[in-house]
Every structure is written in C-alpha cells, then in structure tokens.
C-alpha cells in the first residue's frame, strides 16, 4: 500500500465479528479502518486479508479466491455470499462493511463456523452415483446430450453453505430438514440418467421434514454464488414424491 | 496430554499417537484417488488435509483431462498422446512413466465416469473431447487432435467432487482441516508417519503409519502472480526437503498463457481449443508468426514466451501495454456460454468483460510445477545414492503436482495434470495395497526422531519476537517474480539466490504473536512460509545451475537446448544446496523410445 499516493486511497470502515469460545468474553464486532485503492474494485476477501495483516488473529477460511472452492461463505452486510467474488461495489453500503460468520451454525472462531451439520446432511442423501451395474473400466455409461443437460444447474454446487444457512427452515430444523444444498445434491443424482436408485432415494425423502419443510422462501436462490436454484430442484423432488404417493 | 501449542515445548513423551495403515497428506485429486484405492482394500486410512477436501486446488482445473479414449476420434492412439507428451516435455519426461500414464489413462477415465463424473457428451452419447495445446495425431504428422475429456469448463470441480463422493461411499476416514508439519523418520531413513495438528483445536499428534503419501499439490504461491490457490504452498515438498530427501527439476515452472490481467486467475486453454485466439494491440493474431502450424495451440511455454515477446517489443495492449487480448467474441454467445460458462463467469467477475462481446485481457501467470519429489511409477519416493544411482525411500510416496514422476519434464501439456493425478494417485494406492499384502516391517522411531520432527512447530510456538512472516512471504514472492520469471539470466538469478538465502535466514526467526489454539490460521501461515522458502530456494538454485534453455526454463544467456550436457533431470538437496544430475528414462516397455528432435509447433 505504501507506494500508492494518498489521493488514490480511500478508507473503508470494516466491522468484523470476533469470537473465541475459549476466552470468557461475548462475541463482539471489531472495527478496522482499511486503506484501499480507490480505482480498484477489491473483493471482500481482499479486505479481510488486509485486516488480517493488521490483526493476524482474525480467523477465516479461504483457498481458491476465485469462487470455485466454497471456503469463504460469509455473511456480508447481512447477505450470505463468497468473500472472494463479492466486489466492494456490490457489498459496501454508506462506506460500511460488516462481515459476520454464516448464520445458524456454531462458531469455532470469528468467521469460521462448524460445518459438520451441513456436511452430515449432505452425506445423508447418498451423494454418489448408484447403479445396478458394476464399475466398467472399459467404457463410459452412455448418456445423451439432452440427458446430460438435466444436470446443468445441479452438479456445479461448491458446498459453500450460503444457501442452507440463509434458510429459515434449516435454522429451525437443521437435524431433520436436509436443507437446500443437500436437496440440490439429492436431485442431482435423481436427475442423472445413469443412476438407478431413484425409488430408494425418494423413499428416503418421504417423511414430513426432509424435503417438505421447504416452504419456497427462496433465500437459497437469492444468495447462491453460483446462480443455482435449489428451490426448483426441491420442487421437482416434491412433484415426484406426490406422484409416487398417488 | 501434550500442550496444544500455547507457548510450551512439545515432547515425544507426551505427544498423542494415532496409527493408520496408510496416511495420505492432501485431499485433492491424487490424494483422494489413492485413499479410494486404500479404503476399498479395507486398510485403515486417513486423509490429512489442511482444508475440507473439496476446497483443494484440483477444483479449479477447468479445461479437462487429456486421454486417448477414442471418443472424438475412433482411431486415436495412446502412443500419439505419448509422443505429444514426450515432445511437450522437451524430452526430459521419463518415458516409462509417460507410457504408463497414456496407456493406463483410459481405464481411470472410464472408472471415474462410472463413478458419476458428469462429463459433457457427444451426439453419440460418448464423453466429449476438445482440442488442447500440443496435441497431434499420428506422431505430429496428422494435424491437431481433440483429446481432452471435459465437463464443460469445470472438469476439476466435477472430478474432485466425484472423488470426494466416492470416498464418502467407501467410508474413507478424513482428518479434515489438519495441518501436517513434518515427516517422522526412524534411524533407518524410513518414513514412519507425520507430525500434524488439528487446526480447530491446535492439538498436535504423531500420525504413525507404514505408508505416507505426499499429495500436497503445487507451490505457485512462491510467485507474486499465480493462478494457484492461496493454499498452494508446497507443504509436502518442504517436508521432503527438510527430511533430507531431494527434489527434481524444480527450475521447471509453467507460466500459463491466459491469466486474467491484474489478478492471475486463469481462463482455460480450452478457450483456444474452442477456437479463441490471442491478438496484440494491432489486432494481429501474432501466434501465426511464432508457431505457423499450431498457432494458438502451440505448447504453453511457447505461447507464454511469444506473449511476453510481444509485450517487451511494445505491442502489448492497454494503457501500460502490459498484456494481450484473448478473443472469443467471434465464436458467438452460444458456444461461449455453453462450452465455457465458468470462463464467462470469471471474466465478468475479474476482468469486467463478457467474453462473448469483448476480448479478455490476459498475461502469463505462474501455474504449475513440473518438478517435485522424484518418484517411480508406483509413487515410491526416490533419493540418490552418492554414486548417482536411485535409492527408494521406504514408507514414503508422492503423487500429483507435489511429485515428479516425471511425466511433464520441462513443460506440461494442458489436460495432462488431471490425468497425472488420477493415474499416479491410483498407482500409489495399488502399490501400498500390494506391499501390505506381502508384509512391511519397520522400526519404531525413537523419541529423538519424533522430537526432531517437532522442532519447527516448537520453534514457531514458543517464538517471543522476530520477523513478521507475512512480510517475509511477500518479499519472497517479489524476488521470485523478479528474478525467476519467464526469461532468466545468470545476473538476475544470482541476485535472486542471495535474496532468497537472506529470507531463509529470516524465516528461521519468525514470530507468531498469536499463540491461541482455536482455529489459529496465523500458525498455519507461519508454518507454510517454511515450505515456501524450501521450494523457492530449490527453484532458484536449480534454475541457475541448468545452463541451457529447455521447456519452461528459458535463459537469455544460454538460449539453446544442450542435449550433450542437460538431457538430464536436475536433483537438488536442501542440506548442502547442491544440484546433481539424474538420467532421464528412455526405456518405455511397449514402444520404441522417442529420441530428441528439434521442437517446433
């Protein structure tokens, strides 16, 4: 930052959620004045890394810094998103930026949340191809372009958790309602022409909670950083379940 | 119980131990391919990964997996792929390994497809393959091939998630968000596990095993501008060097031609495979001058050098004339959005352009380490005896970008890294399985052996004052960028070696101010710096030693390839900072070896 002339710098007010469960203090918001180049539209992750240079004890996850690994799901000025692909021009309101952990999950430290519940729900939907054939290392299972297109909008999920932690139904019943991310994954395999376990998968989702706690609030759709539509996938599952029950 | 790093010295006598048949350090493509093999064989296995596995950098691979599966062309031949790879390597790729990879590749691809990998498809319902750089038919005589199997431009994501899912199904044991610090060796120079700590609690352990696989990926973060994830800090390479094992061909770093200007994030070579091309400020398609036959699909080292030459000669684009343009807009929105949706997203985000309407500003960015920990085709790590012969290290394996098996030699072809991951991740797994069946005996390490492996963690944990590790890291990245870039000279490199050496001194005295135990990422970053330093110094010294231009290593003071002296691997040991040579393998099993020819595209 030293080489930038003062006129090209602006100061951003950044407020970061701090919490260390081993210390006997309540969570609090710590304020930073971060100097940023005026011309460049930095990402929220860039700002977090600048803040960490001032205070190395801030804890958060990051890896690819290009929106594909799903590490840095955060609550940014009240909305869930990925730090690395949320530009300040979208996020900052009145020169203020508040960064909190994803809501609804236990906080390990600062912005780092415990994803166990989220991953457990993912594992429940058997997120892998089930076929009645043995793995064949000599050829691919045939699939038409049209059949493959049904997976578009489903397979791209990066498991960042932005959707499920924005979902009120997941907040109330995180153990029983699978949440949008896991359900999107469930439908990704139901929709795959190569998968032969549709019946088994639907049967597992039939109870009153797993799927039917989705009330179509669509927070998941509005926050998904990959532009995916879990509500639609859940709607498809619901349709199949209803059809099955008739 | 051992103290969890709050300023107290850790000691072998109180360190908790967890024992597994196999330990895999790294949860990317090669690590999870190895773990899948072991989990299926019923061995107790732990994948030790500093991030949740799907956050690994394999996820960022875009364009695809190159492999002769005869989908786009029923007459395609793995031997043609082998020829391209040998030529691409500038003839220092090991031909036994390249043969193994190209021949075994199709089985691994079909296995992954059968596990659910959502490949794009052809009209006949087969796996879609696209053109990539350096690909030919009929040993370079039949024109451009289409050999790269793709899931749109998100192949790495599709691959990594499929592997994670398969491991979930197989019941693999993940030590997710654990950081491996150093290898533990016994008195017989055998590797018997690693020292690691759980990041969430800071709790350290000795993870004991008869087979440790280093699958820790690349180290692009030694450079300032890189396509690599923030986590790519060469941890396995650093651990191997500190344990006294060598690295091979570390001077060979690939600069990918199409990094987004100002950010370093990649757009795939598949852009050019789908018909995109590069232009200079005059709108000239300049690759026609440098590579009349393959043009924009020449090998990556050739394209990256051509781009820099355009920029250095004043034909760069933009106000500072410091980049060129990648044109895709002539392909039409249908192709761009359907085949390259991820690229569309990245270029809108980081370059603020829709590639179906405007060209993308690009500049070469550090992308891939062809060098790494030397191994044989079974992933067994190799060291060198004093007489120059190979010596297999018991208990230690490496696979993927951390390893140098060496299928990429001086320059990797696009789409060959994912193939390398799955083929050699699997072969390491298979070898471990076989070794266990025939029985492995190893002596336990002594307390001194374990304490030796704890020394770095202890030093960082008790540091009371010293250097700021973030600053040391930044200085290191800057000096590597300045002195070991695409074009190299002795003058710059000698200067760079001195600076890196000074930074190593500083890295021995870094200060971790925050000693807290709960998800302390500063501790992780401080330890990562020690790995970056090892990799950078190995790169710097090896680069100055190789007095020729070959593959990605391009010297202005030695502009020619020197087959008389340097048709060799370089081998570097950290202890004495010496570089020696190792023979390249010219003994494939089923075909005649390909002899060095002048490499043109």
């Amino acid at each position: 930052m030293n080489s930038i002339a003062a006129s090209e710098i602006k100061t951003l007010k950044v407020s970061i959620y701090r919490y260390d469960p081993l210390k006997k203090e309540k969570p609090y918001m710590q304020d930073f004045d971060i100097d940023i180049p005026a011309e460049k539209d930095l990402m929220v992750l860039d700002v977090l890394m600048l803040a960490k240079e001032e205070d190395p004890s801030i804890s958060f996850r990051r890896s690819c810094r290009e929106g594909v690994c799903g590490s840095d799901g955060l609550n940014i000025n009240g909305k869930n998103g990925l730090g690395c692909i949320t530009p300040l021009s979208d996020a900052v309101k009145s020169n203020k930026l508040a960064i909190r952990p994803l809501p609804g999950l236990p906080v390990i430290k600062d912005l780092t949340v415990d994803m166990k519940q989220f991953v457990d729900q993912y594992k429940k939907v058997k997120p892998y191809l089930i076929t009645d054939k043995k793995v064949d290392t000599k050829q691919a299972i045939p699939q038409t372009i049209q059949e493959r297109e049904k997976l578009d909008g489903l397979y791209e999920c990066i498991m960042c958790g932005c959707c499920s932690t924005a979902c009120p139904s997941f907040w109330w019943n995180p153990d029983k309602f699978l949440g949008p991310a896991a359900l999107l994954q469930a439908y990704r395999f139901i929709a795959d022409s190569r998968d032969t376990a549709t019946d088994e998968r639907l049967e597992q989702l039939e109870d009153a909670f797993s799927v039917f706690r989705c009330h179509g609030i669509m927070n998941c759709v509005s926050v998904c950083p990959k532009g995916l539509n879990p509500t639609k996938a859940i709607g498809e599952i619901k349709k199949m379940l209803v059809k099955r029950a008739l | 119980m051992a103290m969890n790093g709050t300023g107290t010295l850790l000691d072998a006598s109180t360190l908790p131990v967890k024992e597994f048949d196999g330990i895999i350090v790294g949860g990317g493509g090669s690590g999870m391919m190895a773990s899948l093999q072991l989990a299926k064989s019923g061995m107790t296995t732990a994948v030790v990964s500093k991030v949740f596995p799907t956050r690994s950098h394999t996820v960022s691979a875009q364009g695809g997996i190159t492999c002769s599966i005869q989908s786009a062309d029923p007459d395609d031949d793995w031997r043609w792929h082998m020829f391209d790879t040998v030529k691409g390597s500038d003839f220092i790729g090991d031909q036994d390994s390249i043969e193994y990879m190209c021949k075994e590749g199709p089985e691994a691809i079909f296995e992954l497809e059968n596990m659910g990998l959502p490949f794009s498809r052809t009209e006949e319902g087969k796996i879609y393959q696209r053109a990539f750089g350096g690909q030919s038919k009929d040993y370079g005589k039949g024109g451009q091939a289409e050999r790269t199997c793709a899931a749109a431009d998100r192949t790495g994501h599709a691959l990594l998630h499929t592997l994670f899912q398969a491991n979930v199904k197989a019941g693999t044991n993940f030590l997710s968000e654990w950081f491996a610090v150093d290898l533990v060796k016994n008195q017989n120079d055998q590797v018997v596990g690693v020292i690691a700590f759980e990041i969430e609690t800071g709790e350290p352990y000795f993870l004991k095993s008869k087979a440790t696989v280093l699958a820790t990926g690349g180290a692009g973060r030694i450079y300032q501008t890189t396509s690599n994830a923030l986590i790519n800090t060469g941890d396995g390479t650093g651990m191997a060097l500190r344990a006294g094992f060598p690295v091979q061909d570390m001077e060979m770093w690939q600069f990918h031609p199409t990094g987004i200007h100002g950010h370093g994030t990649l757009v795939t070579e598949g852009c050019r495979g789908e018909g995109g091309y590069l232009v200079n400020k005059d709108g000239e398609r300049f690759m026609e001058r440098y590579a009349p036959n393959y043009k924009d699909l020449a090998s990556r080292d050739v394209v990256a050098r051509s781009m820099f030459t355009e920029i250095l000669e004043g034909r760069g684009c933009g106000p500072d004339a410091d980049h060129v343009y990648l044109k895709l807009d002539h392909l039409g929105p249908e192709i761009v959005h359907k085949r390259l949706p991820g690229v569309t997203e990245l270029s809108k985000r980081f370059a603020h352009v829709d590639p179906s309407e405007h060209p993308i500003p690009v500049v070469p960015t550090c992308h891939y380490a062809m060098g790494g920990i030397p191994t044989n085709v079974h992933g067994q790590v190799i060291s060198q005896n004093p007489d120059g012969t190979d010596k297999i290290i018991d208990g230690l394996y490496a696979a993927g970008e951390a390893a140098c098996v060496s299928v990429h030699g001086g320059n990797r072809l696009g789409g060959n890294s994912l193939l390398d991951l799955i083929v050699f991740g699997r072969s390491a797994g298979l070898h471990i399985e076989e070794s266990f069946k025939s029985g492995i005996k190893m002596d336990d390490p002594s307390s001194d052996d374990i304490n030796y492996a704890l020394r770095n963690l202890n030093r960082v944990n008790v540091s009371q004052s010293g250097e700021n590790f973030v600053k040391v890291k930044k200085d290191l990245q800057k000096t590597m960028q300045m002195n070991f870039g695409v074009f190299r000279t002795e003058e710059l490199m000698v200067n760079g070696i001195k600076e890196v050496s000074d930074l190593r001194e500083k890295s021995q005295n870094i200060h971790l101010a925050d000693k807290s135990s709960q998800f302390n990422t500063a501790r992780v970053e401080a330890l990562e710096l020690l790995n970056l330093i090892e990799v950078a110094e190995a790169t710097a010294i090896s680069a100055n030693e190789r007095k020729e231009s070959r593959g990605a290593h391009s010297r202005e003071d030695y502009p020619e390839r020197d087959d008389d002296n340097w048709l060799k691997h370089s081998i570097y040991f950290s202890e004495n900072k010496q570089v020696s040579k190792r023979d390249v393998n010219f003994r494939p099993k089923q075909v005649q070896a390909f002899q060095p020819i002048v490499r043109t595209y």
Side-chain angles (χ1 to χ4, degrees):
Chain A
M1 290 285 126
N2 297 343
S3 59
I4 301 168
S7 61
E8 295 167 318
I9 291 179
K10 64 179 182 190
T11 304
L12 179 68
K13 297 265 176 214
V14 183
S15 195
I16 297 175
Y17 178 97
R18 303 300 309 267
Y19 177 57
D20 183 344
L22 295 187
K23 287 186 185 158
K24 299 239 177 316
E25 47 187 41
K26 287 182 181 163
Y28 62 99
M29 298 299 287
Q30 184 182 1
D31 292 333
F32 294 84
D33 286 333
I34 305 286
D35 287 345
I36 55 171
E39 290 306 303
K40 236 179 154 186
D41 193 11
L42 294 186
M43 299 292 174
V44 170
L45 177 63
D46 298 321
V47 171
L48 262 183
M49 294 201 293
L50 290 171
K52 192 171 168 72
E53 283 182 24
E54 280 185 31
D55 183 347
S57 72
I58 307 170
S59 179
F60 55 91
R61 296 186 175 100
R62 83 286 182 279
S63 172
C64 76
R65 61 81 174 91
E66 59 187 20
V68 290
C69 79
S71 295
D72 62 345
L74 297 163
N75 186 269
I76 303 161
N77 269 352
K79 190 178 176 187
N80 288 358
L82 295 180
C84 62
I85 54 169
T86 303
L88 295 184
S89 56
D90 281 0
V92 173
K93 305 274 182 301
S94 332
N95 200 40
K96 281 194 188 129
L97 179 65
I99 308 173
R100 295 184 176 83
L102 289 177
L105 295 175
V107 173
I108 295 173
K109 193 187 175 197
D110 303 335
L111 303 172
T112 305
V113 291
D114 186 346
M115 300 284 281
K116 185 174 182 300
Q117 186 108 59
F118 176 82
V119 176
D120 284 350
Q121 298 298 56
Y122 169 84
K123 288 180 179 168
K124 267 193 206 165
V125 305
K126 298 187 178 158
Y128 38 78
L129 199 73
I130 302 174
T131 69
D132 37 29
K133 280 176 276 173
K134 266 191 153 179
V135 166
D136 184 349
T137 58
K138 297 291 172 214
Q139 58 183 333
I141 306 170
Q143 186 171 48
T144 66
I145 291 176
Q146 293 73 29
E147 285 168 339
R148 169 61 183 75
E149 267 177 6
K150 294 195 173 137
L151 307 184
D152 285 341
L154 303 173
Y155 82 96
E156 301 93 327
C157 172
I158 57 172
M159 297 174 70
C160 62
C162 287
C163 61
S164 293
T165 62
C167 173
S169 300
F170 189 75
W171 295 340
W172 307 143
N173 296 292
D175 53 336
K176 288 189 267 183
F177 173 56
L178 291 168
L183 289 169
L184 183 83
Q185 206 60 231
Y187 188 63
R188 176 250 173 276
F189 288 99
I190 291 171
D192 195 322
S193 63
R194 300 169 296 174
D195 192 277
T196 54
T198 301
D199 257 348
E200 177 189 336
R201 292 180 189 280
L202 289 174
E203 198 175 307
Q204 201 204 337
L205 300 171
E206 251 173 349
D207 64 286
F209 279 89
S210 296
V211 178
F212 285 105
R213 281 286 139 163
C214 167
H215 301 306
I217 300 166
M218 294 183 75
N219 279 3
C220 54
V221 183
S222 80
V223 300
C224 176
K226 303 309 285 181
L228 309 179
N229 190 333
T231 307
K232 188 164 166 243
I234 294 168
E236 296 296 332
I237 298 175
K238 281 182 180 170
K239 261 195 259 169
M240 292 177 93
L241 285 172
V242 170
K243 207 168 156 193
R244 202 167 174 268
L246 291 176
Chain B
M1 199 174 68
M3 293 300 294
N4 53 14
T6 47
T8 318
L9 280 178
L10 302 164
D11 184 83
S13 59
T14 51
L15 193 68
V17 183
K18 283 177 185 272
E19 190 165 353
F20 303 93
D21 293 337
I23 289 172
I24 289 142
V25 186
S30 65
M32 286 208 286
M33 200 74 190
S35 64
L36 187 60
Q37 201 61 47
L38 295 186
K40 282 198 288 195
S41 72
M43 295 169 64
T44 62
T45 314
V47 176
V48 182
S49 176
K50 66 179 175 178
V51 293
F52 183 76
T54 61
R55 320 300 187 207
S56 306
H57 191 49
T58 303
V59 83
S60 290
Q62 297 173 14
I65 315 179
T66 304
C67 190
S68 170
I69 58 161
Q70 299 168 327
S71 175
D73 173 5
D75 297 324
D76 197 16
D77 191 320
W78 65 263
R79 294 167 193 87
W80 300 349
H81 180 198
M82 180 180 170
F83 167 80
D84 291 343
T85 304
V86 171
K87 180 184 169 191
S89 80
D90 221 346
F91 300 95
I92 58 162
D94 287 325
Q95 297 199 16
D96 58 339
S97 306
I98 297 174
E99 176 185 52
Y100 182 85
M101 178 178 81
C102 296
K103 185 164 178 296
E104 299 296 316
E107 280 205 1
I109 299 280
F110 293 134
E111 186 181 351
L112 283 163
E113 190 283 331
N114 274 244
M115 288 186 320
L117 203 159
F119 281 112
S120 300
R121 297 288 167 157
T122 65
E123 292 292 345
E124 301 85 46
K126 295 178 181 170
I127 294 172
Y128 171 72
Q129 292 181 291
R130 61 162 55 106
F132 247 56
Q135 267 170 23
S136 79
K137 297 182 183 187
D138 196 17
Y139 309 103
K141 298 189 289 276
Q144 178 73 43
E146 292 168 358
R147 194 176 288 132
T148 301
C149 310
D153 58 357
R154 301 189 176 103
T155 314
H157 170 278
L159 170 69
L160 190 67
H161 281 251
T162 301
L163 274 175
F164 178 65
Q165 292 161 350
N167 273 282
V168 166
K169 189 179 181 186
T172 299
N173 178 26
F174 286 104
L175 298 182
S176 194
E177 303 191 319
W178 282 56
F179 187 80
V181 182
D182 263 310
L183 294 169
V184 179
K185 279 199 308 186
N186 66 17
Q187 288 303 305
N188 309 323
D189 223 22
Q190 296 169 314
V191 173
V192 290
V194 294
I195 299 295
F197 64 89
E198 185 180 22
I199 300 172
E200 181 176 335
T201 59
E203 205 65 52
Y205 290 86
F206 169 32
L207 303 180
K208 191 177 169 192
S209 174
K210 290 183 175 121
T212 302
V213 184
L214 296 176
T216 49
R221 287 282 153 186
I222 63 170
Y223 286 94
Q224 223 169 13
T225 303
T226 175
S227 66
N228 282 199
L230 294 157
I231 57 170
N232 291 151
T233 50
D235 300 335
T237 318
M239 282 191 262
L241 281 165
R242 280 193 299 275
F245 304 128
V247 287
Q248 177 170 282
D249 296 336
M250 283 310 292
E251 63 278 21
M252 298 298 183
W253 281 90
Q254 178 164 86
F255 288 78
H256 191 293
T258 53
I260 294 178
H261 176 246
H263 194 261
T265 306
L266 273 203
V267 292
T268 173
E269 185 168 299
C271 292
R272 284 168 284 140
E274 296 291 347
Y277 56 85
L278 298 162
V279 295
N280 61 21
K281 70 165 184 179
D282 305 319
E284 184 206 3
R285 186 175 178 182
F286 58 86
M287 280 312 299
E288 289 178 337
R289 265 189 284 124
Y290 297 93
N293 297 316
Y294 287 81
K295 299 178 182 131
D296 296 83
L297 286 176
S299 174
R300 286 179 179 171
D301 54 337
V302 175
V303 180
R305 276 195 292 275
S306 308
M307 290 167 74
F308 269 124
T309 305
E310 288 299 296
I311 292 166
L312 290 172
E313 291 179 358
R315 292 186 295 278
C317 305
D320 298 324
D322 60 352
H323 57 273
V324 299
Y325 282 133
L326 172 64
K327 241 176 88 65
L328 294 173
D329 52 310
H330 60 288
L331 299 175
E334 175 68 12
I335 296 262
V336 173
H337 294 155
K338 198 96 216 157
R339 300 256 174 83
L340 304 165
V343 165
T344 303
E345 200 180 311
L346 284 169
S347 90
K348 280 183 183 169
R349 274 249 205 236
F350 293 109
H352 308 293
V353 295
D354 179 343
S356 69
E357 291 169 10
H358 300 284
I360 310 170
V362 290
V363 71
T365 181
C366 172
H367 182 52
Y368 187 87
M370 272 73 74
I373 306 159
T375 71
N376 60 21
V377 289
H378 308 297
Q380 293 177 286
V381 170
I382 288 167
S383 185
Q384 210 174 30
N385 291 309
D387 66 357
T389 52
D390 287 353
K391 171 183 162 191
I392 287 175
I393 303 299
D394 290 339
L396 187 63
Y397 294 77
E401 192 173 341
C404 181
V405 50
S406 142
V407 284
H408 311 304
N411 170 68
R412 174 173 71 75
L413 294 187
N416 266 354
S417 63
L418 292 185
L419 188 64
D420 172 2
L421 299 186
I422 59 173
V423 168
F424 293 107
R426 188 168 76 152
S427 78
L430 285 167
H431 191 271
I432 294 170
E433 198 182 333
E434 286 304 311
S435 308
F436 263 77
K437 276 186 198 151
S438 46
I440 306 173
K441 275 215 165 118
M442 275 189 193
D443 292 340
D444 280 342
S446 67
S447 294
D448 284 351
D449 295 333
I450 296 172
N451 284 333
Y452 183 72
L454 279 168
R455 70 196 183 285
N456 283 313
L457 187 56
N458 271 331
R459 184 156 49 82
V460 167
N461 279 347
V462 302
S463 61
Q464 290 303 317
S465 63
E467 302 288 337
N468 173 342
F469 58 84
V470 176
K471 171 141 196 336
V472 177
K473 178 164 78 180
K474 283 188 172 177
D475 289 348
L476 180 74
Q477 291 166 334
K478 197 170 162 197
T479 189
M480 292 306 292
Q481 189 81 22
M482 292 298 292
N483 300 307
F484 301 94
V486 168
F487 293 113
R488 297 168 174 179
T489 65
E490 177 146 346
E491 195 188 345
L492 282 177
M493 288 192 285
V494 167
N495 176 52
I497 289 169
K498 164 126 200 352
E499 287 181 11
V500 172
S501 168
D502 291 347
L503 290 167
R504 171 190 278 280
E505 288 299 311
K506 288 186 177 173
S507 76
Q508 301 299 303
N509 184 33
I510 47 175
H511 179 216
L512 177 69
D514 174 16
K515 303 285 201 293
S516 66
S517 55
Q518 196 88 346
F519 219 98
N520 182 343
T521 55
R523 175 178 289 120
V524 172
E525 285 182 37
L527 292 163
E528 284 172 341
L529 172 69
L530 304 182
N531 298 323
L532 287 168
I533 289 273
E534 292 291 350
V535 175
E537 195 163 37
T539 297
I541 293 174
S542 307
N544 190 43
E545 206 59 40
R546 186 181 282 276
K547 295 188 172 26
E548 64 157 354
S549 289
R550 181 187 300 272
H553 180 64
S554 181
R555 293 188 61 152
E556 289 172 354
D557 44 359
Y558 297 92
E560 301 300 322
R561 191 173 82 190
D562 178 2
D563 285 344
D564 291 339
N565 294 301
W566 279 105
L567 192 61
K568 299 277 181 190
H569 296 297
S570 71
I571 291 281
Y572 168 87
F573 286 90
S574 182
E575 280 165 346
N576 55 12
K577 303 191 180 180
Q578 294 292 312
V579 176
S580 55
K581 293 178 185 177
R582 179 169 172 247
D583 286 342
V584 174
N585 181 292
F586 279 90
R587 296 182 309 280
K589 293 200 170 84
Q590 301 188 6
V591 296
Q592 288 273 313
F594 297 105
Q595 296 304 321
I597 51 169
V598 177
R599 188 164 156 261
T600 55
Y601 285 98

